[in-house]
Amino acid sequence: METDEILHLPISKIFETYPVALDFFKSFGLEYKDNEQSFLQTIEPLTDDYWELYGTNKEELISTFTDFIIGISNFTAVQKVETLEVIAGVDKSGKHEECSLFLRPGEITCIVGPTGSGKSRLLSDIEWLANTDTPTKRKVLINGKLPDDDFKNSVGGKLVAQITQNMNFVLDLNVYDFLILHAQSRFLDNPEHKVTEVIALANELCGEKFSPDTPLTFLSGGQSRALMIADVACIGQAPIVLIDEIENAGVDKKKALELLVNKEKIVLMATHDPLLILLADQRVIINNGGMSKLLFTSESERKYYHKLEELDSTIQAARQFFRMGGELSCNDD
Amino acid sequence: MNTCKLITVAGPPSSGKTSVIIKLIESIAGFKEQCGVIKFDCLSSLDEEQYTKYGITSRTGLAGNLCPDHYFVSNIEECLQWAYAKSFNYLITESAGLCNRCAPHLKDMLAVCILDNLSGINTPLKTGPMLKLADVIVVTKSDLVSQAEREVFRFKIQQVNTKAPVLFINGITGQGADKLATFIEKSKSVDDVTSLKLRFSMPSALCSYCLGETRVGSDYQIGINRKIKL
């Protein structure tokens, strides 16, 4: 929308296009008797008392409002990331990194390395689109190009969604209402439909089901993680998803990864679980703050994966057996 | 000539202002020696010890029975003189941020507002000018909440302040603090205190209670009062 349009359109029209404009009216205590009036007409009768109370003046309020509307219309502009490259910089000792990283939507990349090896640094380089301006001197290319300032300002800090072990839902809202809020903040069409889909997907990922009216804070660890993954996949804005050590989270890990891959997310995963490492398409080894090696999952590794999977299901079955009160008799092998 | 970059940091109590400032200072090599911190508080503050522990030069100003924001603005000149005398290149002020009515932010000087991701979804709407008029907004403790809550919180912030970039900083590990440092480096400096101006006027409060009245009731109220609409 153009500034003129914003100021002269009937506010009913503005509310229709941007329902969140209502919040703006609320936070500035603006009252409107007639929806068909424009923003300028609405603020016309405001007295000095009002300006003093809100510590602003007419010109300022007008510019805040136009910024607000232009801000949210930019916010909705979707930037498609086709490829993302992290061009090698230097490690903590200033030595040149051994490899660069190439990421594409729908692919899984594992980040492997001991704690403190520099995983977070790699992520924040991606998040803020480093251009030799961070300690690692790495460069991040989006769709093969160095992103320009416009792109940086609109997506900076919004590229990476994180899901880690110590995250929890803290808001005092139920699942449905919260997801609606999230969907609305993303200006999604038909938020109710989206939210129902997310809840169904989350219930597929975790063992115990939960209903839409469960308070967020009542969810178990597994349910929370499942909901976070489903939400990031379907509602979240970030094209890149980082999953940090969720092996013990009580969710179906394989299904969770499939979901993210199907939603065309670039999946980065920090993990120590060999099953997850081998599920990935590639893995980058981080050492002393630098990317030291890039390995692609080979055919023989995929075969090995199936062996591990069998082992894993044996252990799962045993877990289930003892959990349900089973007992081994001495005749069993 | 005396010159110094002045950065005002404001935010609700316990939002992590001190931790963020410490991590910010530590994120740049050699920053510690060029930088002083002044903590403004009301009755008591233990933050100076905290700064000292990290080898950061700091002083505390306690407003006592004065409004802390008035106290801030009537002392900023002395603070800058202190920074000039110490030949600091940076002066960071940290203020208590209590009633949400005022903001210590000064025109042309980098203004940072710090909010806590655990503090509830409507905090940005309630925070007022210290958020509305800030140049950079820092959100702390976001490593403890879900991605969805982070995104909704950011969205609520952007409804109040559409222009300022929102940074998520972990006050314990310092992750993200170096991004804030890039804003500090780009900020403007001041060489003449009298050129400074508040971004937002302080409230017009001069009533009997300002002068020490303790009795309740209309009979005792003189000066500027406003009555609640029920």
Side-chain angles (χ1 to χ4, degrees):
Chain A
M1 269 194 209
E2 300 289 320
T3 312
D4 255 15
E5 218 182 331
I6 295 167
L7 297 176
H8 292 104
L9 266 183
I11 49 174
S12 62
K13 285 265 179 281
I14 292 182
F15 291 155
E16 211 179 287
T17 327
Y18 303 112
V20 286
L22 272 168
D23 279 4
F24 183 92
F25 275 64
K26 233 183 261 168
S27 72
F28 278 92
L30 292 171
E31 288 168 12
Y32 50 93
K33 293 191 182 71
D34 183 359
N35 257 345
E36 294 313 306
Q37 287 197 334
S38 70
F39 183 75
L40 286 181
Q41 287 166 322
T42 309
I43 63 167
E44 193 52 53
L46 295 175
T47 61
D48 284 350
D49 257 12
Y50 173 89
W51 300 122
E52 196 195 323
L53 186 62
Y54 283 89
T56 181
N57 57 48
K58 202 166 161 184
E59 291 73 49
E60 235 179 65
L61 187 66
I62 289 174
S63 81
T64 316
F65 183 68
T66 45
D67 284 349
F68 175 77
I69 297 292
I70 291 170
I72 53 180
S73 52
N74 287 344
F75 194 78
T76 53
V78 186
Q79 298 278 3
K80 182 92 178 112
V81 176
E82 308 276 355
T83 64
L84 190 148
E85 285 160 85
V86 182
I87 308 289
V90 294
D91 69 7
K92 279 179 195 163
S93 346
K95 230 177 81 217
H96 200 267
E97 287 184 296
E98 298 296 330
C99 59
S100 298
L101 197 55
F102 188 82
L103 307 170
R104 255 188 305 244
E107 274 184 5
I108 304 171
T109 306
C110 268
I111 306 175
V112 192
T115 313
S117 58
K119 287 182 281 188
S120 328
R121 183 72 257 173
L122 175 62
L123 285 163
S124 64
D125 282 347
I126 295 176
E127 176 128 75
W128 291 101
L129 301 166
N131 180 13
T132 64
D133 49 359
T134 63
T136 59
K137 307 283 175 221
R138 288 182 186 128
K139 267 192 264 184
V140 173
L141 309 186
I142 300 276
N143 303 337
K145 286 193 308 246
L146 267 177
D148 57 22
D149 284 346
D150 273 357
F151 186 88
K152 279 194 175 184
N153 290 336
S154 63
V155 307
K158 296 177 195 164
L159 278 173
V160 184
Q162 291 201 40
I163 301 171
T164 71
Q165 285 275 44
N166 41 14
M167 279 177 190
N168 283 297
F169 286 110
V170 295
L171 282 179
D172 187 15
L173 282 173
N174 73 36
V175 170
Y176 186 84
D177 291 348
F178 173 68
L179 291 179
I180 288 283
L181 198 63
H182 191 205
Q184 281 170 345
S185 79
R186 300 268 301 111
F187 305 100
L188 297 180
D189 293 330
N190 202 348
E192 292 81 8
H193 179 256
K194 246 314 173 266
V195 167
T196 315
E197 183 195 344
V198 169
I199 296 174
L201 282 169
N203 273 325
E204 254 177 63
L205 295 182
C206 63
E208 331 113 82
K209 308 251 177 286
F210 58 89
S211 74
D213 55 9
T214 311
L216 282 176
T217 47
F218 281 25
L219 296 176
S220 73
Q223 288 171 331
S224 300
R225 230 58 59 198
L227 184 61
M228 285 177 198
I229 293 167
D231 170 89
V232 160
C234 303
I235 299 180
Q237 58 192 336
I240 302 161
V241 179
L242 167 80
I243 304 179
D244 200 354
E245 293 175 19
I246 57 152
E247 33 264 51
N248 306 316
V251 292
D252 188 329
K253 293 165 276 190
K254 205 174 165 186
K255 263 195 201 159
L257 288 176
E258 273 168 18
L259 171 64
L260 293 168
V261 165
N262 288 339
K263 295 285 176 184
E264 291 288 298
K265 297 285 180 187
I266 294 174
V267 183
L268 284 168
M269 187 163 46
T271 184
H272 307 303
D273 182 341
L275 272 172
L276 290 176
I277 292 176
L278 294 182
L279 260 182
D281 300 281
Q282 57 178 0
R283 55 187 187 272
V284 60
I285 291 92
I286 309 269
N287 198 358
N288 191 29
M291 300 186 280
S292 67
K293 212 193 276 180
L294 183 68
L295 297 172
F296 297 91
T297 311
S298 65
E299 266 318 300
S300 54
E301 282 179 333
R302 292 211 190 272
K303 276 192 197 132
Y304 184 57
Y305 169 81
H306 292 293
K307 229 174 174 177
L308 280 180
E309 202 182 23
E310 270 169 41
L311 269 174
D312 188 55
S313 45
T314 312
I315 290 173
Q316 297 288 351
R319 182 177 294 151
Q320 194 64 9
F321 175 77
F322 289 111
R323 202 177 159 204
M324 297 325 255
E327 186 186 9
L328 282 183
S329 69
C330 27
N331 302 334
D332 290 342
D333 285 326
Chain B
M1 193 175 69
N2 285 325
T3 182
C4 182
K5 293 186 183 208
L6 174 59
I7 298 108
T8 55
V9 178
S14 302
S15 54
K17 294 180 291 294
T18 307
S19 303
V20 169
I21 294 174
I22 290 172
K23 293 297 171 193
L24 162 74
I25 293 174
E26 289 203 316
S27 75
I28 314 171
F31 197 66
K32 219 172 262 184
E33 290 70 34
Q34 309 174 41
C35 168
V37 179
I38 304 230
K39 163 81 184 186
F40 285 92
D41 219 322
C42 293
L43 298 173
S44 69
S45 175
L46 300 169
D47 291 339
E48 193 172 320
E49 287 171 27
Q50 189 80 358
Y51 286 119
T52 311
K53 205 173 102 191
Y54 286 89
I56 297 165
T57 315
S58 78
R59 293 288 182 272
T60 309
L62 293 179
N65 60 349
L66 295 177
C67 156
D69 290 302
H70 282 85
Y71 180 76
F72 165 85
V73 73
S74 36
N75 281 291
I76 191 67
E77 180 171 13
E78 285 73 12
C79 295
L80 267 172
Q81 299 301 355
W82 173 74
Y84 292 152
K86 294 252 182 195
S87 311
F88 286 141
N89 295 324
Y90 303 88
L91 176 66
I92 300 177
T93 66
E94 176 191 343
S95 50
L98 296 166
C99 70
N100 292 340
R101 168 58 180 76
C102 296
H105 301 321
L106 299 158
K107 282 185 186 151
D108 296 326
M109 298 293 110
L110 187 75
V112 181
C113 177
I114 299 192
L115 294 179
D116 167 357
N117 216 156
L118 297 175
S119 63
I121 203 96
N122 290 319
T123 302
L125 289 177
K126 293 181 204 162
T127 305
M130 72 178 157
L131 171 65
K132 209 174 284 178
L133 303 177
D135 300 314
V136 182
I137 292 146
V138 172
V139 179
T140 57
K141 304 181 201 174
S142 56
D143 54 314
L144 301 174
V145 308
S146 65
Q147 179 71 29
E149 287 163 308
R150 270 198 293 278
E151 286 176 15
V152 172
F153 200 70
R154 179 217 299 274
F155 179 71
K156 293 279 176 187
I157 290 172
Q158 286 174 328
Q159 286 185 344
V160 179
N161 187 329
T162 43
K163 282 189 181 151
V166 180
L167 309 181
F168 291 92
I169 295 183
N170 183 329
I172 294 168
T173 64
Q175 195 182 343
D178 55 337
K179 185 71 193 169
L180 181 59
T182 61
F183 288 94
I184 306 272
E185 276 163 13
K186 277 185 269 174
S187 68
K188 283 191 190 147
S189 52
V190 55
D191 45 39
D192 173 16
V193 184
T194 55
S195 68
L196 292 176
K197 262 192 162 162
L198 281 172
R199 296 193 185 190
F200 188 75
S201 63
M202 301 270 166
S204 48
L206 191 62
C207 68
S208 39
Y209 297 108
C210 298
L211 302 169
E213 177 64 80
T214 54
R215 288 168 298 180
V216 176
S218 299
D219 286 355
Y220 309 109
Q221 295 164 2
I222 322 161
I224 304 169
N225 292 295
R226 191 193 303 275
K227 290 297 179 187
I228 187 171
K229 279 185 220 152
L230 297 172

